[in-house]
Amino acid sequence: MIEFDQVCKRYEGGYEALTNLSFHIPRGEMRFLTGHSGAGKSTLLKLIMVMERASSGQVIVGGRNLSSLPARRIPEVRRDVGVVFQNHQLLFDRTVYDNVALPLIIAGYGHRDIGRRVRAALDKVGLLDKERKNPITLSGGEQQRVGIARAVVNKPALLLADEPTGNLDPQLSAEIMHLFEQFKQVGVTVLIATHDLGLIARMPYRLLTLRNGQLVTRGGDDNVPE
Ligand code: ADP
Ligand code: ADP
């Protein structure tokens, strides 16, 4: 599903955020992306979302080579990727329902389809009874679940999250991680950047660990294409 082959990312000004990165995440797997602040986690996620382009090497997502993808085809890639942010980026002048519906409206779905899909997504995150609320009236954990519903409402094959539990206490963080596991169980590929090592220590998924833009090898891990 995701393949990096000898990827380097150098920002303008010359700073090399990622160096010779090669790894492979098969479809339907769940992985954690860890590393210190500044290690390159967000940069790696941005390459997958085509918010940045690799300076050299190949990034292949869902069979598409992003390194040579023309700009007009970027929306097609993004439709297949759901993204969850730490600060969830919800709109506080709209209802929960409208926040979750947004990606479908942009994609041009019809009214009835939107209703069906939004309610299915809210049901998956346990917020069906909150659809008429303004997200500002919800707790932090609930707001993050609205963010997750919005990320999956399109049924993307790939779900990315950048520090999704950064603002939550341990109990709520564990619940959010459990939600991600449920998407993995229905075949979604999940990649979660986090520095909450305590939280993920007990979870049975492999880590991709970055140090100064390089993958730290852990025996038998993902550094070699599978
Ligand atoms: P992380 O998400 O692990 O904290 P980032 O990918 O955000 O790491 O950053 C990796 C490195 O790249 C950092 O040193 C950061 O300062 C640098 N960096 C990130 N974005 C840019 C940018 N747009 N321009 C220049 N340097 C950047
Ligand atoms: P369709 O809308 O294509 O008829 P369904 O609604 O029957 O598909 O979905 C089949 C199952 O797959 C659902 O139970 C749903 O939970 C699950 N599923 C597949 N992909 C995703 C995804 N990206 N996000 C959430 N659920 C998904």
Side-chain angles (χ1 to χ4, degrees), residues 126-138:
L127 287 180
L128 209 43
D129 56 331
K130 302 283 164 77
E131 63 171 88
R132 290 289 145 215
K133 300 252 186 209
N134 186 299
I136 208 160
T137 67
L138 303 182

Side-chain angles (χ1 to χ4, degrees), residues 102-177:
L102 211 56
L104 301 178
I105 293 168
I106 292 169
Y109 282 90
H111 212 67
R112 187 172 299 175
D113 241 8
I114 290 176
R116 191 176 61 82
R117 285 172 181 259
V118 169
R119 294 203 172 89
L122 285 174
D123 189 32
K124 275 181 206 138
V125 302
L127 287 180
L128 209 43
D129 56 331
K130 302 283 164 77
E131 63 171 88
R132 290 289 145 215
K133 300 252 186 209
N134 186 299
I136 208 160
T137 67
L138 303 182
S139 70
E142 288 171 333
Q143 289 181 1
Q144 189 54 288
R145 285 192 274 152
V146 176
I148 294 172
R150 185 185 51 191
V152 300
V153 74
N154 248 338
K155 294 208 172 170
L158 174 60
L159 189 53
L160 303 179
D162 198 355
E163 300 288 354
T165 60
N167 294 323
L168 302 178
D169 66 39
Q171 161 89 31
L172 286 174
S173 298
E175 286 174 25
I176 293 292
M177 286 302 177

Side-chain angles (χ1 to χ4, degrees), residues 11-12 15 17 36-43 52:
Y11 282 110
E12 269 171 57
Y15 186 82
H36 60 89
S37 177
K41 302 182 295 296
S42 299
T43 300
E52 294 284 350

